[in-house]
Amino acid sequence: MYDLLLKNARLFPMVQDAGEAPVRTLAVSEGRIAALGVPANTPAKETFDAAGRIVLPGFVDCHTHALYAGNRMAEHNLRLRGMTYEQIAHTGGGIHTTVQAVRIASEQQLVEETLPRLKTLRGEGVTTVEIKSGYGLDMENELKMLRAIRQLRRHIDMDIVATFLGAHAIPRGSNRGDYLAEVIEKMLPVVVNEKLAESVDIFAENIAFDVEDLRRLFMQAKKAGLNARAHTDQLSNIGATIAAAAHGALSCDHLEHASEEDVLAMHRAGTVAVLLPGAFYFLRETRKPPVEWFRRHQVPMAVATDLNPGSSPIVSLLTVMHMGAITFGLTAAEILLGVTRNAAAALGRADKIGSLAPGRHADFTVWGVPAPEFLLYQMGGLKPAAVFFKGKKT
Ligand code: NIG
Ligand code: FE
């Protein structure tokens, strides 16, 4: 007997496209989708009547820095008065401001500050969230962040995917070479040993790490069995996207300055383009990511919040989805795939989450809206009537 039978549902499984399935039921066994389209009177331990409402796969927010302490409101105000993100970084603010706040916070405080943000995301239908380290920038504090991320899993019913972003910035008083060696030789082995992350990430940018740094980190990550992802082409193009793709990166993220060559390299490597309209909006950028080239060269596009205190203090995937549609010109179908199937692919989990098919996790949401596209039309006031995580209503 099935554990749960969802009936009278307008299902949008999104396996091949963003279209509606011809069937109205979904059966769950042991946290996974067991079948679609079974008769509505099939016996099950529990039944949920969707009453003709829309059912979507649980959303996947595949790029966040959601674990942090404090805020950067003062710097936001400086930016509003004309200072740029790079200028603030050069004066020792930016990421370093948050590093200071995270270093003095305990693991417990980080958990407590982050949990409400995760609950807010889940309230909008997010059932998987990726969270990066990167505000510790030393062994003790990077591990503290990753352990806090691990601990969060005990406090909320959603999948939390940890990414080791030790290479986020060069800590004050250190130089790039020494610090990167510490990341690769000292921190990475502990992260691997304690299974604290499944991917590494690096901020490859003229204000952070260069292409050679990326290569060194990715080579060691691969040896250690971790996936690789990278922040590339956000503020400038230093050739990091081609290098990341050549090393089999699961995703390159931001990409406002990507060239057609970069996009072709991503196509060849099967790398996902993670677009982050929130950071674009907050930094008042004007150069948009090359969406036409991603389409032409069939590079899958994902969309994520980039939730962080500096460049994207947005605790709302729905808001960012709307920004992606209006600002980047993505279609409703592209956005919806971008927060489900393609976001799952950016995490290397497309076989488990991001679509409604037998064998996938039973993560889905029920929406009282006329069509999925409505989420890209109305801004604000939307939330799912129910969120199911591994077959259980949260
Ligand atoms: O994705 N670009 C680097 N990392 C973040 C910003 C982090 C911060 O400013 O705290 C980003 O935009
Ligand atoms: Fe980021």
Side-chain angles (χ1 to χ4, degrees):
M1 186 170 2
Y2 295 123
D3 293 330
L4 173 72
L5 181 73
L6 175 74
K7 59 179 191 178
N8 297 322
R10 291 181 57 198
L11 295 161
F12 288 78
M14 297 195 206
V15 179
Q16 298 305 326
D17 54 51
E20 184 169 352
V23 299
R24 290 285 174 268
T25 59
L26 180 154
V28 176
S29 261
E30 289 171 356
R32 286 174 191 268
I33 298 170
L36 296 176
V38 298
N41 58 5
T42 305
K45 288 180 197 149
E46 233 183 290
T47 308
F48 185 92
D49 187 349
R53 286 174 296 188
I54 281 167
V55 173
L56 302 178
F59 293 150
V60 178
D61 192 353
C62 67
H63 179 142
T64 88
H65 311 249
L67 187 98
Y68 59 84
N71 67 70
R72 305 240 288 277
M73 222 163 55
E75 292 174 7
H76 180 60
N77 290 335
L78 291 177
R79 275 207 313 276
L80 291 179
R81 283 191 252 124
M83 236 172 137
T84 67
Y85 186 79
E86 288 102 315
Q87 282 165 343
I88 291 171
H90 281 306
T91 61
I95 290 169
H96 295 289
T97 305
T98 304
V99 170
Q100 275 181 310
V102 165
R103 284 183 177 176
I104 57 175
S106 66
E107 180 181 323
Q108 209 50 40
Q109 279 167 319
L110 291 173
V111 167
E112 278 162 27
E113 284 206 38
T114 304
L115 194 55
R117 294 191 273 267
L118 300 190
K119 285 185 177 159
T120 302
L121 289 177
R122 195 186 57 187
E124 287 192 342
V126 174
T127 48
T128 300
V129 63
E130 182 259 14
I131 309 180
K132 301 174 196 298
S133 69
Y135 294 125
L137 305 186
D138 62 23
M139 173 80 106
E140 178 191 342
N141 290 292
E142 284 294 308
L143 293 178
K144 179 175 73 184
M145 285 190 78
L146 290 169
R147 288 178 185 135
I149 294 169
R150 178 174 64 191
Q151 201 199 128
L152 278 163
R153 298 194 181 106
R154 298 207 305 266
H155 299 284
I156 186 163
D157 281 335
M158 67 196 303
D159 269 327
I160 299 178
V161 181
T163 300
F164 174 49
L165 178 59
H168 193 195
I170 296 118
R172 281 193 197 139
S174 188
N175 68 63
R176 209 178 66 217
D178 290 349
Y179 179 62
L180 191 78
E182 195 183 329
V183 168
I184 293 175
E185 288 156 27
K186 301 229 167 72
M187 299 185 206
L188 188 62
V190 183
V191 171
V192 172
N193 242 329
E194 293 191 28
K195 294 192 172 59
L196 285 168
E198 47 189 77
S199 301
V200 297
D201 195 341
I202 180 166
F203 187 24
E205 190 60 60
N206 54 28
I207 56 167
F209 295 90
D210 69 18
V211 171
E212 200 38 49
D213 298 334
L214 181 147
R215 287 207 185 95
R216 285 174 57 201
L217 175 69
F218 280 15
M219 257 150 57
Q220 289 309 314
K222 195 185 282 174
K223 275 193 202 154
L226 295 195
N227 296 320
R229 306 181 60 192
H231 287 65
T232 61
D233 298 336
Q234 179 184 13
L235 311 165
S236 64
N237 189 327
I238 59 166
T241 297
I242 290 182
H247 279 84
L250 281 178
S251 75
C252 286
D253 303 38
H254 286 288
L255 296 166
E256 279 82 348
H257 291 259
S259 68
E260 191 164 14
E261 286 304 300
D262 295 318
V263 176
L264 284 164
M266 293 176 72
H267 165 75
R268 284 192 295 272
T271 301
V272 177
V274 177
L275 307 183
L276 304 167
F280 176 90
Y281 167 85
F282 259 89
L283 301 185
R284 298 203 281 192
E285 298 288 346
T286 49
R287 185 170 163 144
K288 297 176 189 179
V291 167
E292 261 322 311
W293 289 334
F294 295 134
R295 286 181 183 136
R296 189 174 318 148
H297 302 301
Q298 292 157 3
V299 170
M301 290 180 277
V303 175
T305 59
D306 197 13
L307 166 55
N308 76 73
S311 65
S312 190
I314 312 180
V315 194
S316 172
L317 185 60
L318 287 173
T319 304
V320 166
M321 288 160 65
H322 207 287
M323 288 176 177
I326 298 289
T327 314
F328 291 171
L330 297 171
T331 66
E334 284 170 336
I335 298 277
L336 292 166
L337 286 171
V339 295
T340 54
R341 191 185 65 192
N342 293 348
L347 299 177
R349 294 191 176 197
D351 57 337
K352 296 191 180 70
I353 54 168
S355 53
L356 303 179
R360 302 290 205 287
H361 295 182
D363 299 347
F364 54 86
T365 52
V366 182
W367 297 82
V369 294
E373 293 79 4
F374 197 85
L375 305 183
L376 290 318
Y377 158 66
Q378 179 173 309
M379 204 172 193
L382 297 170
K383 73 186 185 98
V387 177
F388 285 84
F389 174 67
K390 294 192 176 153
K392 298 231 156 48
K393 199 161 169 288
T394 63

